[in-house]
Amino acid sequence: IASRSPPVPRTPSNGAQRTVIKTANKTPFGMLPIMEVDGGCALCDSGAIARFLGREFGFMGTTSQEAAKIDMIMGCSNDLISSMVKIMFEKDDAAKAKLKESFIKDELPKYVCLVEKMLCDKDWLVGCKGSVAGGTVGPNF
C-alpha cells in the first residue's frame, strides 16, 4: 500500500492549514482516499477500501449473508455520517440548529437502536468475530 505522491501543503482561502495530495488525475474517480495494492491496482472510496481489506484479511464475514449484513451496517453508518456532514457544512445558523436538533432527536437514536438490535446479547455485530462493520460503527460513537 503506497501513496502515489508526497503531500503538498497549501493554505486554503479561510487561512486554515491543510494538506492536499496531488493525485486526483491518477485515481480511479479523481478522489481520495486512495490505496494502491500489489499489481498496480488503485482503489479509492473508503468503503471500497475497507471492504477490500476486510475480504483480504477475513473481516467481511464467513458467508455471503454475513457479508451482506456488513454491507448493510456500513450503508447505515454512511447515512449517519452524511447527516453529520450536512450539519457541519450548513452556513445558515438557524438551518444548522434545525438540522442538529433533528439529528439528535430522530436520526441518532434510530441509529443507536439499530446497532443495539444487531448486537442483542452478542459480542459481535455480525458472525462470531470482529468485522469491518464494527470498524465502521465504532468511530461513529
Side-chain angles (χ1 to χ4, degrees):
I1 302 171
S3 175
R4 290 184 176 247
S5 65
V8 177
R10 79 171 181 88
T11 304
S13 59
N14 67 5
Q17 217 31 274
R18 76 177 192 194
T19 301
V20 176
I21 300 176
K22 290 187 172 184
T23 58
N25 61 341
K26 297 177 183 177
T27 68
F29 298 122
M31 301 182 326
L32 296 175
I34 183 171
M35 182 182 83
E36 188 175 283
V37 296
D38 295 337
C41 175
L43 301 172
C44 67
D45 180 76
S46 56
I49 292 169
R51 286 178 184 90
F52 171 81
L53 292 171
R55 282 189 292 275
E56 287 292 300
F57 297 104
F59 294 103
M60 271 302 285
T62 55
T63 67
S64 58
Q65 288 181 356
E66 286 183 1
K69 285 182 181 179
I70 291 167
D71 284 335
M72 177 180 70
I73 293 166
M74 290 179 73
C76 183
S77 291
N78 286 341
D79 292 344
L80 184 73
I81 291 167
S82 294
S83 295
M84 289 189 285
V85 168
K86 283 182 193 173
I87 296 168
M88 290 188 301
F89 286 99
E90 177 58 55
K91 294 187 186 319
D92 179 81
D93 289 339
K96 184 180 248 182
K98 274 187 169 182
L99 286 170
K100 190 174 181 180
E101 181 182 342
S102 173
F103 178 79
I104 292 169
K105 182 181 170 209
D106 302 321
E107 294 180 60
L108 188 57
K110 181 175 75 173
Y111 180 77
V112 170
C113 284
L114 291 171
V115 171
E116 285 178 340
K117 188 185 235 184
M118 295 288 297
L119 274 172
C120 296
D121 293 326
K122 302 180 295 187
D123 293 329
W124 307 105
L125 284 169
V126 178
C128 57
K129 66 178 189 169
S131 71
V132 175
T136 303
V137 169
N140 289 337
F141 289 102

